[in-house]
Structures are given as structure tokens and as C-alpha cells.
Amino acid sequence: MKLTTFTHNGRRRIGSLEGDTVQVMAWQDNMRQLIQRGITPSRTYERIPLAEVILKAPLIPGKIIAIGKNYADHAAETGGDLPPKPLIFAKFPSTVIGQGETITWRTSITTQVDWDVEIAVIIGKTVKNVSEEDAYNHVYGYTVANDVTARELQNGDGQWTRGKSLDTFCPLGPYIVTRDDIADPQNLNLKTTVNGEVMQDDNTSQMVFKIPQLISYCSQMFTLEPGDMILTGTPAGVGVGMKPPRFLADGDTVTVSVEEIGEVSNPCKAIED
């Protein structure tokens, strides 16, 4: 099932995608609450053409847990070694935007804004000290994420939170695809384009630490709760790894996609101050 959060006639709602139509969910308008309640979404008879709705970020997670250097070629292009264990950092939920919304930054804070396509794993059940073998049973579904990064802040601070957590720095969407509809999340193509030019083109099979390992490892450190999200890392092709480096500029459009889920496309706005 593909689930979406959208607005229609000024009202925020959630629904399931069926072809080019959205079937509205009964009384629900908050995807995180739906996941937390652990209920099967009930549908109304109301159907709205997809062309008439405005897609929003499908979910505002409780926690955004991100994994660094989880593709060997990406670690190599940025001059780093592979970590012996998953490298964990956090992004703030206030970074989240949806399809078509604008990525913005102030040039007094950063001029090195980079892209990172990732498959995001959404937790559906409370997880603590789970085994790798049981990890998938705690997954609700998957979505597409762009882990936008201010590289000079990331590299200059000694920790990554500020450079990863500027407002608008986590486009998500366009849908949540539930776990039962993705046969193998470790064999999906990922891609990034900037103004139509391909920057990243790889496959989730190349992850160093696979999704069950990430869930199990994170759950040893802290409780994962329904509606939390794990960003699983990005492959090679980021701007900072290019020679010379290339970053997003005012007026650019960056699009990230994951096979079987969809794509999220966002215009960019640099604010001079």
C-alpha cells in the first residue's frame, strides 16, 4: 500500500494511492498517530484525483536517526575509512519538507549545500534490543529521503548535527510504501539528479550495514518507537566528492528517487544576507 499525506481544499488529510486516485482514510489526518495506534487504515468512499491534491511530507517522524558512511564508495569519495560499526547521527524533525517544497539556506551560514539520496525505514512497533532476525517485523514501511547537508558545518563542527539539521534539509516522500509491498528493500535503485543531470545512481544492495543490522544495532542504544525513521546512508556521487566540488545553488532543482517508492523533487533557494 502507498500512503500519502496531502492537502485538498485547504484541509490536511491522509489516504492511499490507487493509480491516479487518492482514496481518503477515515477521520485520520496524522500519519504518525496512525502508525502509533498500530491499526489498519480504514478507507472512506471518498476518492480524489491525484492531480487535485498537494502532496506533503508523508510523515513527521518522532526521531530521525541517520547513518553515515554506509556505502563503501561514498566513504572513499569523501576521504574517510569505513566505520567498524554503524555511524549514527541525528537530524531534527523540523528539517522535514515534502514534494515540491523549497530547500532554503542563508548564505551567511552555508554555501556548501549538498545532496544525499537515501531509503528511509519507518518503524512500526516499539523496538528495544531486537535481533537482526526479528528486525523486519518492526518495520512499518519505507519512503525516499534527501539528507541535505551543509558540508562546511558538518566538517567544521566536529559533529554533524548542525550541518544536517538546518530547516528544510530533509525532503521526504512522495509516499510511504508499506513493508509488505517491498519484496527486497536491499535491492532497489537509488538516483539523484540536479537540473536533470544524474549525480548519484546506485543500489541499496551496496549498503555496508544492511537494514536489519541497523535496526538491531540502534535498538541496543535507544528505544525505537512507532513513527521513528532511520536514514540508511547514501552512495557515491555527492557534490563534495567531485573534483572540483559542486554544491546546490539558488534556482537549482534536486530530485531523489528510490525504485518502487517514487521521487521527491525540490527547488532550491539561497537567501543572501
Side-chain angles (χ1 to χ4, degrees), residues 155-173:
N155 296 327
D157 283 358
Q159 50 76 30
W160 295 3
T161 302
R162 183 167 69 121
K164 295 284 189 174
S165 290
L166 301 186
D167 289 349
T168 75
F169 271 30
C170 192
L172 294 179

Side-chain angles (χ1 to χ4, degrees), residues 246-261:
R246 175 175 173 176
F247 300 108
L248 293 170
D250 185 62
D252 283 347
T253 296
V254 57
T255 302
V256 293
S257 64
V258 178
E259 184 182 10
E260 297 187 29
I261 302 175

